[in-house]
Amino acid sequence: MRFWNKLEKSFLRSRSGKQHAKTDIRERFDAVDEEKLSHDGEAMLSFYRQQGIRGHIRSFQIILDGAPVSKIEMEKQCNILCEPGFHKIHIKLDTMKSQILNLKAEAGVRYFFEIACTMEEGLILKQVEMERIEEE
């Protein structure tokens, strides 16, 4: 087990310079039509999947309120629109799943999440930032 932990850490370390060169999380995400988001009265969930050893050739499922809504590949991102209100979000790969995040989504707000999979912790989903879309 120690071998895999060391291998994973060196793999992530060697790749992380390229991957995390941008310190602001929003720089890692594609721009969206913020005007449309604020006028439609929806919230946007933006996911970025980090590089890792486990499950690297497989797509992870994004589960919103118990239903699969999208799949995401390594070093890719996706955006999901949802209605304002309370939501439960988690990531799944076969029988493995991340912890469930509870989110109170507000209209016109973009929420940023990072996804990873490690040998020690398995699937990881964490909210990293939110950004309110301001109307002009």
Side-chain angles (χ1 to χ4, degrees), residues 16-31 46-51 75-79 110 112-116 126 128-129:
S16 65
K18 179 182 84 170
Q19 179 183 346
H20 295 288
K22 299 175 181 175
T23 55
D24 184 352
I25 187 69
R26 288 169 287 172
E27 292 179 17
R28 284 193 251 162
F29 287 87
D30 292 336
S46 295
F47 298 88
Y48 176 79
R49 182 174 162 197
Q50 298 179 4
Q51 187 166 0
E75 293 189 315
K76 301 288 183 192
Q77 61 180 296
C78 73
N79 298 312
R110 186 176 184 190
F112 296 92
F113 299 88
E114 285 187 321
I115 299 168
K126 66 177 182 175
V128 289
E129 192 171 321

Side-chain angles (χ1 to χ4, degrees), residues 61-100:
Q61 283 187 324
I62 298 173
I63 312 294
L64 179 65
D65 298 328
V69 291
S70 186
K71 289 187 175 188
I72 189 167
E73 297 175 1
M74 189 163 8
E75 293 189 315
K76 301 288 183 192
Q77 61 180 296
C78 73
N79 298 312
I80 298 168
L81 293 173
C82 68
E83 296 292 321
F86 292 96
H87 298 283
K88 294 183 180 292
I89 308 163
H90 71 276
I91 305 302
K92 184 177 175 184
L93 175 65
D94 299 329
T95 59
M96 263 192 333
K97 69 178 190 177
S98 70
Q99 77 283 4
I100 295 174

Side-chain angles (χ1 to χ4, degrees), residues 38-57:
S38 64
H39 289 297
D40 288 350
E42 295 178 303
M44 179 176 282
L45 312 178
S46 295
F47 298 88
Y48 176 79
R49 182 174 162 197
Q50 298 179 4
Q51 187 166 0
I53 287 182
R54 288 187 82 177
H56 67 281
I57 60 171

